[in-house]
Structure formats: structure tokens, C-alpha cells
Amino acid sequence: MKRLLIPLALAVATPAAAVEYLDDSPYARRRSLILTVGPGATYSERISGDAAVSGLAGQLDLGAAITVGYEGDEVFLLARGSTGRPGEELALITGYRSMFGSESWRTFFDLGVSVRPISGPWLGPRIGFGARHTLSDHFALYGGLGFTFGFGSGLRADTELFTGLQWIIPVGSAS
């Protein structure tokens, strides 16, 4: 009986070891890299020492995101250049975007961190919300409102209005 068990175990284990793992879950088919570009405006108020500066600035966002989970949520990184009353600034923003809805119109909520390494430096939390309209499998328009608080070289608060175009590139088994 022992002689029969060893060849039987080998016969079962050999094909199982040779099988390649294939991720065919719904999540794998929805994975995407998302590139973003868009203009916006920011109203800033900041206090550094005895000086207070406030004003409106124009901005340009360049970013990338990768979808995570089953609902199309995103982890994103954004570089934002701005110029205006508070001065020229560069902000790096990273965070998590929760998407809601399943049709061509979706809403979202952002939770993240903003770092302004040049004009300060400043570091602080950021929240945002907005809507996205999917134009096709590869393009979407989005817009929203965000709030950032900064600490470091004093205190600052920013209110931002952002818009843009997203280029959606399927990755993994979706490509």
C-alpha cells in the first residue's frame, strides 16, 4: 500500500506545481494607470512670523494614479505648480481617492498629504471631493474642490478648485 501512495502523490503534485497562476479576478480586469493634467485656481492664506500673505493663484496639475480594489479607487501622486499673489510654488500631493458610482458619472473623495518643499517648507493634510465623467474607455474629465492645511514655516490654508483630463491606460491582464 505504501508503494502505491508515493507514486499517486507524485502524480497529483506534479501537474499542480506546473500550473501557472493566472489572476482572472474582476479586480485584475479593472487595473489601470491613470495620467492626469489640468488647470485650476487656489486661494491661499499663510502666516510666517510677522508676515501674512493671501491671494489667488493659477495652477497646473500633472499626476499619475493606479487603481486599487474592486471599485476603481485610486492611489495618486500629483505635482502642482502655481503662480499668483502668494508667489510661485510647487506642491507634491499624494493620497487615496475613493470613487462612488458605477456609470459614466462618478463622485470621489480624496484624503492625502501635501508637501511644499520650496516655498516654506510646508507639510499638511489635504481633503478633496468632486466628480468625474467618463468619456470613453480611455478618457475622462474631472473637477472638484479641495482644502489643504500646512504647517512648517508658519501656518497656511489653501482652498483649491481643480479640473482636468484623465488618460486611463489598462495594465496587467486588462491590457
Side-chain angles (χ1 to χ4, degrees):
M1 185 70 163
K2 287 184 182 181
R3 286 187 205 177
L4 184 61
L5 288 178
I6 293 174
L8 182 61
L10 286 175
V12 171
T14 302
V19 172
E20 180 181 336
Y21 175 71
L22 177 62
D23 186 3
D24 195 29
S25 66
Y27 169 63
R29 289 189 293 270
R30 294 183 184 173
R31 258 181 269 176
S32 298
L33 172 68
I34 301 169
L35 303 177
T36 62
V37 61
T42 302
Y43 178 78
S44 299
E45 291 194 10
R46 63 184 194 196
I47 301 169
S48 293
D50 294 338
V53 178
S54 63
L56 190 62
Q59 69 191 34
L60 179 65
D61 294 343
L62 297 172
I66 187 108
T67 57
V68 294
Y70 294 102
E71 300 299 321
D73 294 351
E74 304 168 7
V75 174
F76 66 91
L77 176 62
L78 185 69
R80 173 175 288 160
S82 61
T83 185
R85 171 68 177 109
E88 295 177 352
E89 296 184 323
L90 172 68
L92 300 174
I93 301 167
T94 187
Y96 186 84
R97 177 171 288 155
S98 294
M99 302 296 289
F100 304 96
S102 60
E103 299 299 322
S104 64
W105 281 98
R106 300 186 77 186
T107 58
F108 61 84
F109 177 77
D110 294 348
L111 186 58
V113 174
S114 176
V115 178
R116 296 182 193 290
I118 298 170
S119 63
W122 308 90
L123 171 70
R126 178 187 178 276
I127 59 171
F129 57 92
R132 179 173 80 178
H133 178 61
T134 304
L135 302 172
S136 70
D137 288 343
H138 296 286
F139 292 99
L141 294 173
Y142 70 95
L145 185 65
F147 304 97
T148 304
F149 301 99
F151 308 95
S153 297
L155 299 173
R156 76 177 293 146
D158 299 291
T159 302
E160 62 195 52
L161 185 63
F162 55 92
T163 62
L165 176 68
Q166 292 183 323
W167 181 25
I168 304 163
I169 305 165
V171 294
S173 65
S175 56

